[in-house]
Structures are given as C-alpha cells and as structure tokens.
Amino acid sequence: IIGGTAGGRKLHVPLGLATRPTSDRVKENLFNIIGAQVDGAAVLDVYAGTGALAIEALSRGAGRALLVDDASSAVEVIEQNLKTIGFKERARVEHIRAEISLKALVEQGKRFDLIFLDPPYRINPVELELVVRFAARLLSERGLAVLEHRSTQDIADLGAWVTVCDSRVYGDTGLTFFKRGED
C-alpha cells in the first residue's frame, strides 16, 4: 500500500500468473489523479486480483468497498489482505463472474463513487463492452470509473453510455477514466 493509514504495508499475491497486480507506479499516478474523489467513497473493485486498488482507496479514506473476482485463489488472497490490513469490516468480497455481479448490482439499484475495472488484458471485447456498460450504470452522480488496460488496446470508443474524461499511458499499462454518459 502506497499511502494513507495503511501506507507501507505489503499485500499477499496469489501464486501463478493468473493475477496481474497493478504496479506501484501506476497505482501512485492513479491515486494522484483521483485525489479527493476517494474521501468517503463507496468503491467497487472488479477483477480485484489482490484487492490492492480497493485497499489503497480504503487506506486513503474511502468509506466502504465491494471487491469482485471469479478466481478462487484471488478471493482467498483478498480476504487475507483485508484481514491483515484491518479493513475486513469496511469491505465485502464476492466470488463471482464480473458481468453477473455487475448485472445484479444494477438490478438492485446500487451506486458507487469509484469503480476500478482491471480485466485480463485478453478479455473478449464483447465482455469488456458489457462490463463497461454495467459499470457506467452503477456510477453515482459524482462517480468516476477507471479502466486499466493494455496501452496498445484501442478503447477510444467505449459507447454512448460513458463519457471519457482522461486517458494515460504508463509503459504497457493504460488507464482510461470515465463518468456516466447516456443510458
């Protein structure tokens, strides 16, 4: 963890290559960009991996977080990290496919102030479009979503349901920031 109350703490990482943790450099720049948006935020971390983005947000003052991942090894590590850092009471973990979780959250009328989407770089474009569309519908009025992707991936047009605010490149990682657009 880079900043906040848990700054300097190390997170556990699942064994193998299935999880691609966000680098500290990308994470630091991401949180510098979103700044005060974190204060008191309701956070959704999709394809959560180690839980690093949501845990970083909680460390920096987010109110609560929902972390979603469909890999058993990731879910176990996220639970362990939340317990180790002491954020278990402010977070909930779902072991479920992203699009299923997001669809259910939309149907429940849930809203989030910050949404982190860090799908596998080889995600099917149709699945990515669906996930982005659901995420946009989950954003609160002040909400902001961040999509982490391969820097060479063309994501210029995410659809009318989002308004792209910013896009940054850090080596092979791209970050695209968006707000809710038209439904």
Side-chain angles (χ1 to χ4, degrees):
I1 302 299
I2 297 169
T5 59
R9 303 281 302 272
K10 301 279 188 209
L11 297 178
H12 300 278
V13 179
L15 297 175
L17 301 173
T19 301
R20 174 188 36 80
T22 301
S23 75
D24 284 349
R25 179 179 147 215
V26 171
K27 195 171 14 170
E28 182 174 7
N29 284 300
L30 164 62
F31 280 91
N32 285 339
I33 292 166
I34 62 177
Q37 183 90 17
V38 176
D39 294 339
V43 175
L44 174 61
D45 190 351
V46 185
Y47 307 98
T50 63
L53 294 177
I55 293 170
E56 185 76 37
L58 290 168
S59 178
R60 293 172 183 246
R64 61 184 173 84
L66 172 60
L67 298 90
V68 176
D69 206 296
D70 68 347
S72 297
S73 59
V75 169
E76 289 172 18
V77 166
I78 293 166
E79 293 278 6
Q80 183 181 14
N81 285 333
L82 288 167
K83 184 177 179 185
T84 300
I85 302 294
F87 291 155
K88 188 103 172 96
E89 70 286 347
R90 293 172 44 208
R92 186 168 56 99
V93 182
E94 286 188 359
H95 183 193
I96 189 170
R97 288 186 49 90
E99 63 275 11
I100 294 170
S101 176
L102 294 174
K103 182 178 185 221
L105 292 167
V106 166
E107 289 170 353
Q108 295 165 20
K110 301 289 185 185
R111 293 285 185 264
F112 296 89
D113 305 310
L114 271 176
I115 300 177
F116 300 116
L117 301 170
D118 189 7
Y121 280 173
R122 294 181 183 194
I123 189 171
N124 174 310
V126 173
E127 182 183 346
L128 179 61
E129 181 180 317
L130 183 63
V131 166
V132 167
R133 187 174 206 162
F134 281 138
R137 293 180 65 194
L138 291 167
L139 286 168
S140 67
E141 288 298 316
R142 74 177 191 119
L144 181 67
V146 184
L147 172 64
E148 186 172 335
H149 53 88
R150 185 180 306 282
S151 61
T152 56
Q153 185 177 3
D154 182 19
I155 53 143
D157 183 19
L158 293 175
W161 47 85
V162 302
T163 300
V164 174
C165 310
D166 196 357
S167 189
R168 307 284 176 105
V169 173
Y170 306 96
D172 72 338
T173 300
L175 296 178
T176 299
F177 300 79
F178 63 88
K179 294 183 179 258
R180 187 177 188 151
E182 304 168 15
D183 277 333

